[in-house]
Amino acid sequence: MASLSAAHHLDPLLVAGPDEDGGQRGMFRTAWDFSFRMVLQYIKNSYKDDPFRTFLEVCLIGFIVWYMTKQKYNIGNNEIELSEKEIDELVDDWRPEPLVPELTEFERETLDKAALLDGPNGIKVRLASGNGKALLNFASYNFLGFVDNPDFEKRAIETLRKYGVGSCGPPGFYGTLDVHMELEKHLAAFVGHSAAILYSQAFTTILSVIPCFSKRGDIIVADEAVNFSLQQAIALSRSKVYWYKHNDMADLERVLKD
């Protein structure tokens, strides 16, 4: 009925054409009448099938109308104009906070007692306050002396020129390169296995390996003082965990017997 009514209203407009007086007004009136009938029919059908949906849509439309018509918050123009004298006084009174906080007495004493190196950091170092004798450095991660090795430095420069440098190096972040696969091949051959896999760091290695081999229903007996990465890996495995006291073999024996 709605389509027949719309067609009935449109026929005179099509015959008369838009150039006659009142043609455009009649076209808009017909379009409005057709749209209103379509919306009314949609509401009737939706209410018959799902009245809750109709109620929800009416509430949503009402909220949109309320939000579009409500008065918006206007902060207005509350700028305060200062004179040159007031600006100069504010500038003179302003004291910036230090970029680095001042050291406490304990921190200053600790810093004064810290050893200063004379030369580059490495496995063997010389102290600035010493007699020039080389000392073994136990506070360095350069365990094997790779950092100050000239052969490794040369190879590192060649690798940077070939592959470039970025914020990531492991294949899980940067993408698998031929050097990654070559290193995995050499590592597998060194330990006598068919394959090896590289991880970005020891933390991710532990988080992957333990849940891979220990699943829900398995049993793990662990020292209660293991590091954080092991604790997280054990938790991720969803295994049954029995903890024994740190380095206490008697307590380990008790747990195993129980």
Side-chain angles (χ1 to χ4, degrees):
M1 295 298 294
S3 60
L4 293 175
S5 176
H8 176 73
H9 287 289
L10 286 173
D11 286 341
L13 294 176
L14 295 175
V15 175
D19 293 335
E20 296 185 1
D21 186 22
Q24 293 182 351
R25 183 180 301 175
M27 183 180 298
F28 285 120
R29 185 181 298 112
T30 303
W32 169 259
D33 181 64
F34 178 75
S35 301
F36 179 77
R37 290 174 181 271
M38 292 292 294
V39 172
L40 187 62
Q41 186 67 25
Y42 169 76
I43 293 176
K44 290 181 179 180
N45 293 336
S46 62
Y47 180 78
K48 180 179 179 181
D49 298 335
D50 190 358
F52 177 75
R53 176 184 173 184
T54 303
F55 172 76
L56 184 63
E57 291 178 348
V58 171
C59 294
L60 181 61
I61 294 174
F63 173 76
I64 294 174
V65 173
W66 169 80
Y67 182 79
M68 297 297 294
T69 56
K70 75 171 186 175
Q71 185 179 3
K72 302 297 189 297
Y73 177 73
N74 186 12
I75 59 175
N77 186 11
N78 298 324
E79 295 182 0
I80 300 176
E81 295 185 1
L82 301 177
S83 62
E84 293 292 336
K85 182 179 179 181
E86 292 174 333
I87 294 176
D88 293 338
E89 291 177 352
L90 290 175
V91 172
D92 294 336
D93 294 338
W94 181 68
R95 295 292 182 270
E97 295 183 358
L99 297 177
V100 180
E102 295 185 3
L103 298 177
T104 62
E105 188 65 25
F106 175 77
E107 292 174 339
R108 191 177 301 279
E109 293 178 357
T110 304
L111 184 60
D112 293 337
K113 296 178 181 179
L116 299 179
L117 301 182
D118 183 11
N121 188 13
I123 297 179
K124 293 183 178 181
V125 295
R126 300 180 187 276
L127 298 181
S129 58
N131 54 4
K133 183 179 179 180
L135 302 176
L136 189 62
N137 184 10
F138 286 98
S140 172
Y141 280 100
N142 184 24
F143 307 112
L144 303 178
F146 290 163
V147 174
D148 50 358
N149 188 300
D151 294 334
F152 280 87
E153 182 180 354
K154 180 181 178 181
R155 290 295 301 272
I157 295 175
E158 294 175 355
T159 303
L160 289 176
R161 290 177 177 175
K162 181 178 180 180
Y163 296 98
V165 62
S167 58
C168 298
F173 294 93
Y174 196 68
T176 302
L177 303 177
D178 55 349
V179 288
H180 294 134
M181 295 185 291
E182 184 179 356
L183 177 58
E184 290 177 346
K185 181 180 179 180
H186 287 305
L187 290 175
F190 180 77
V191 297
H193 289 278
S194 59
I197 183 172
L198 294 177
Y199 286 92
S200 58
Q201 55 181 340
F203 195 99
T204 56
T205 305
I206 298 172
L207 290 180
S208 176
V209 171
I210 292 182
C212 179
F213 290 97
S214 183
K215 304 294 184 181
R216 187 186 300 272
D218 296 332
I219 296 176
I220 296 178
V221 179
D223 191 312
E224 63 180 9
V226 294
N227 60 31
F228 181 72
S229 60
L230 286 170
Q231 295 176 15
Q232 294 300 305
I234 292 173
L236 288 174
S237 69
R238 300 294 191 271
S239 303
K240 180 66 176 178
V241 186
Y242 294 93
W243 302 96
Y244 64 91
K245 297 179 181 180
H246 179 53
N247 287 340
D248 191 336
M249 296 298 101
D251 191 57
L252 172 60
E253 184 178 2
R254 178 192 61 80
V255 170
L256 293 175
K257 289 181 178 180
D258 295 342

